[in-house]
Amino acid sequence: MTAAAPKLRKGRKFDQVIEGARDVFMAHGFDGAGVDEIARAAGVSKATLYSYFPDKRVLFSEVAARECLRQADAALASIDLTAPPARVLDAVARRIIAFFASDFGQAMFRLCVAETARFPELGRRFYESGPLMARAKLGDYLRAAAARGELCIDDVDLAADQFAHLCHADLHDRLLCGVQTRFSQPEIDRVVKGAVRMFLAAYGRGAPVQGASSATAAPTP
């Protein structure tokens, strides 16, 4: 497949192609997913596949965008967002780590880094369907928790980004550098607990009010 602008032509078998491609990408990653195998999994001819996606990167970006949304929605559905913040943030952190440590998450990140200079629309699509969407969904929770008096946050977008990066700690770097490909439960627990503890130290009830002196504490309801 050759590079092409990601302008999608929808048709009767479009969703069928996406579902087949998702199965192959999830099983083999981007590099290991062959066009013939994707066409077989989707139950379409190669000509039909090419008519929708003349570039495998565009197909992968569409699958990635849908998978990010699917996993985000599944995470929100599985978490009790009215629970105490420590419990909610613990669950969110584990979902974040599970995604970026997955074969699919790593393939998505590596492809974005490798191809963005030549194919900027791909990087923009990944950003919008990944970090930007995660910020928005986590931000919705943080605003609600702040409105209930459970958290003290004046810049929700910044706080959401900070929490996501706390969850990366050194795990993401070890993945990208090939030092490790899988993490033990104690390693994950260590990062999750540290991320939640640091976040609540900054934004929990009783934390210093943003923009105020360190001696000024937020009022406790």
Side-chain angles (χ1 to χ4, degrees):
M1 291 184 175
T2 57
K7 295 179 180 179
L8 305 183
R9 183 184 73 82
K10 300 292 181 70
R12 182 169 57 88
K13 296 186 177 181
F14 183 85
D15 289 337
Q16 188 175 323
V17 169
I18 294 296
E19 287 304 309
R22 176 186 179 277
D23 292 342
V24 177
F25 283 134
M26 293 292 283
H28 303 295
F30 176 79
D31 291 330
V35 176
D36 290 336
E37 188 174 4
I38 292 172
R40 281 196 301 272
V44 300
S45 67
K46 286 176 64 176
T48 297
L49 175 61
Y50 279 112
S51 72
Y52 291 126
F53 297 99
D55 190 314
K56 191 172 77 167
R57 293 170 297 187
V58 179
L59 174 56
F60 186 79
S61 72
E62 181 67 18
V63 171
R66 294 188 179 207
E67 184 62 17
C68 287
L69 181 59
R70 187 192 70 79
Q71 292 205 24
D73 288 342
L76 290 176
S78 69
I79 299 172
D80 179 6
L81 299 179
T82 65
R87 191 183 307 167
V88 175
L89 293 170
D90 183 284
V92 170
R94 293 179 191 280
R95 287 282 188 163
I96 290 173
I97 293 172
F99 180 75
F100 77 65
S102 69
D103 292 340
F104 185 83
Q106 292 177 62
M108 185 177 80
F109 184 86
R110 288 194 173 99
L111 181 66
C112 177
V113 171
E115 299 291 347
T116 294
R118 292 186 299 165
F119 195 20
E121 185 61 30
L122 182 66
R124 187 176 302 109
R125 183 77 187 278
F126 281 156
Y127 174 72
E128 290 172 351
S129 62
L132 191 61
M133 182 190 65
R135 175 206 287 172
K137 289 187 176 293
L138 179 55
D140 288 342
Y141 163 71
L142 296 178
R143 287 186 186 89
R148 292 192 297 267
E150 297 172 345
L151 298 172
C152 305
I153 303 175
D154 64 351
D155 189 334
V156 168
D157 287 344
L158 177 61
D161 288 338
Q162 288 171 331
F163 185 71
H165 284 282
L166 287 172
C167 295
H168 283 65
D170 72 327
L171 300 183
H172 201 228
D173 288 342
R174 280 189 272 166
L175 280 172
L176 295 182
C177 295
V179 175
Q180 276 182 261
T181 57
R182 295 290 183 270
F183 300 108
S184 67
Q185 196 58 54
E187 287 176 306
I188 294 172
D189 290 343
R190 171 176 172 265
V191 170
V192 168
K193 291 176 181 177
V196 173
R197 184 167 56 247
M198 183 171 288
F199 188 84
L200 291 180
Y203 297 115
R205 289 195 307 175
V209 178
Q210 290 77 33
S213 68
S214 60
T216 303
T220 301

